[in-house]
Amino acid sequence: QQSVQPTVSHGLSQVRHITHDLPTPLPRSRMAYQEMVTTRPPSTDYTIGLRNKKHHQAMPMPGAFKTLIIGINYTGQKENLSTCVNDAHAMRGYLSEAGFHGQQLVLTDENQVDPAHVPTKENIMRGLRWLCQGAKAGDSLVLHFAGHGVEVRDENDEDRYDEAVLPVDFRATRPFQVIKNEEMTHLLTTSLPHGCRLVVIADCAHSGQLLNLPYSLTARKDGNLEWKEKVGYPEPLPDIIQLSGCRNDQTTDSATNALTPAFIQAMGRDTNPTYEALIVEIRNNLYKRSGVGYQVPQISSSKRFAFSDRFYLSIDP
C-alpha cells in the first residue's frame, strides 16, 4: 500500500507525504533527549560583519576540499520542478568563483548522457559514500541537494513522520524508494572522521531536520531567532553543519528558486558571516524572492555554536 498526496503550496503542486510499509528503522540515538527552546530578537548590529571586506574571500584550508552537488528537476514526471538543475549549476559556479577548488561530483537529470551521473537512489548513495571516502582531519566537504523533500509515514518516529528526499527514480520500485534522513545521518556520522567538516545545503521541502543534529538556529517569521538544543543527545558527532530552506513541516516555493540563490547572495556579501548574520540574510533574501516569507530557514549543527561565531565552508582558521 502506498500513496502520494500532493499539496498545493503557493500555486505549486508539491509532494507532501509518501506513505508505505517501511523496513525496520535504523537504530535511533535521539529518543532519550529533551529539547530546550529559547528565542530572542536578532542583534541590531548584525550587519557589521557584512561590511568587513577582509572576510570577502575564501579562507585557507588545511586539508582537501570535496563537493557533491545534486539537482533534480524530475523531467517528464508529474512532480517536475523547474529550477533545481539550475541551482546545482549555480552552486558549482559559486564555489569555483569563491576559490573553493577540489574534487567535485555533480548529479543532475538534465540532458545527462553518463548514467553514473544521473541522480538515482543508487548513484546518490554512492555519491555520499564517495564524499566520505578518504576524508581526514582538516578536510572540508560540501553536500548540496536541490529537489523534492517529502515526509514518510513512520510510526516509530516521534511525530510519526520521517523526512526524506526523492531520487529521480523514486517510482522504480513499489513502495516508492526514498532516501530517509536516518539513512543519510547514519552514513555520514559513521563514515566521517573527527576533525573534518561537512556543510550540507538542503534546498528542498521538509528539510529542517534532513539530518538529525542536536543544535539548531531558526529565523522565525515574527523576526525573532529561535535556538533549539537537544539535551542528552548521546555520543559526540563529526563536525556537520546543515542549512535548510524551511522547517520540517513546511514546503518550499520552487517557482522562486529559493534557498540556493538566497545562500549565494548572502555569501556574496560576506564569505564568512556570523551564524546570526547568515540566517537573517537568508531569511530576508527568501522573503524578497517569494514576497510571502512563509519559508523559515534553519541552521543545524552537530556542535554547539554562538550566534556571533563565523560560518566557514572550510575548516575554521
Side-chain angles (χ1 to χ4, degrees):
Q1 294 287 327
Q2 66 279 325
S3 63
V4 177
Q5 302 173 350
T7 296
V8 177
S9 176
H10 292 268
L12 297 174
S13 179
Q14 296 281 349
V15 179
R16 176 66 188 276
H17 299 310
I18 292 182
T19 306
H20 55 63
D21 296 327
L22 296 170
T24 302
L26 293 169
R28 295 173 184 271
S29 60
R30 65 178 195 263
M31 299 299 288
Y33 68 76
Q34 293 182 331
E35 192 169 73
M36 296 180 61
V37 180
T38 58
T39 62
R40 73 162 176 80
S43 302
T44 57
D45 61 347
Y46 80 91
T47 56
I48 290 176
L50 297 175
R51 294 192 291 269
N52 191 340
K53 292 185 178 181
K54 71 178 182 180
H55 297 289
H56 281 237
Q57 51 190 312
M59 302 296 292
M61 294 169 289
F65 191 77
K66 198 174 183 181
T67 60
L68 171 61
I69 298 175
I70 304 166
I72 314 177
N73 280 349
Y74 309 90
T75 304
Q77 304 186 55
K78 66 180 181 179
E79 295 84 11
N80 68 294
L81 300 171
S82 60
T83 64
C84 294
V85 172
N86 287 338
D87 288 340
H89 294 320
M91 181 57 62
R92 184 180 187 182
Y94 163 72
L95 292 174
S96 177
E97 292 177 7
F100 296 103
H101 303 294
Q103 297 183 72
Q104 191 173 86
L105 176 61
V106 180
L107 307 178
T108 70
D109 61 343
E110 178 187 63
N111 302 321
Q112 191 59 260
V113 296
D114 184 352
H117 287 178
V118 176
T120 63
K121 179 174 182 176
E122 179 180 356
N123 286 344
I124 292 174
M125 296 304 294
R126 184 185 297 118
L128 292 174
R129 291 189 290 270
W130 168 85
L131 187 65
C132 299
Q133 185 177 9
K136 59 186 182 303
D139 289 351
S140 299
L141 315 176
V142 172
L143 167 61
H144 173 262
F145 177 86
H148 271 306
V150 295
E151 290 181 316
V152 179
R153 187 75 174 180
D154 184 353
E155 295 296 337
N156 296 303
D157 198 86
E158 294 96 320
D159 61 2
R160 297 187 178 181
Y161 285 99
D162 257 343
E163 292 69 47
V165 298
L166 290 187
V168 70
D169 62 338
F170 69 94
R171 282 196 170 87
T173 63
R174 298 180 72 87
F176 294 148
Q177 60 180 356
V178 300
I179 303 175
K180 296 174 61 180
N181 60 352
E182 289 180 358
E183 293 179 80
M184 290 185 285
T185 303
H186 179 76
L187 189 158
L188 295 171
T189 57
T190 58
S191 301
L192 293 175
H194 291 271
C196 81
R197 165 171 291 179
L198 170 66
V199 174
V200 179
I201 301 168
D203 196 352
C204 58
H206 309 294
S207 55
Q209 279 287 292
L210 195 58
L211 297 180
N212 297 319
L213 302 174
Y215 304 101
S216 65
L217 174 63
T218 302
R220 302 193 330 179
K221 290 185 289 186
D222 63 6
N224 288 324
L225 299 176
E226 180 179 273
W227 171 261
K228 288 186 179 180
E229 180 176 331
K230 297 174 181 178
V231 180
Y233 207 89
E235 74 277 353
L237 299 174
D239 188 1
I240 301 175
I241 300 168
Q242 175 184 294
L243 287 86
S244 308
C246 63
R247 296 192 312 255
N248 282 349
D249 61 342
Q250 291 184 310
T251 58
T252 57
D253 190 346
S254 62
T256 58
N257 200 20
L259 176 63
T260 300
F263 169 76
I264 292 174
Q265 184 178 354
M267 294 293 285
R269 296 187 64 188
D270 185 350
T271 304
N272 307 125
T274 65
Y275 284 97
E276 179 173 358
L278 178 61
I279 196 68
V280 171
E281 283 296 302
I282 288 176
R283 181 189 62 193
N284 293 344
N285 293 340
L286 288 173
Y287 179 80
K288 291 174 186 176
R289 288 179 174 275
S290 68
V292 181
Y294 72 94
Q295 286 183 233
V296 178
Q298 181 172 300
I299 299 175
S300 304
S301 178
S302 61
K303 310 292 185 185
R304 180 190 296 273
F305 60 88
F307 290 10
S308 59
D309 287 347
R310 289 197 174 273
F311 168 81
Y312 294 92
L313 277 174
S314 61
I315 294 292
D316 292 353

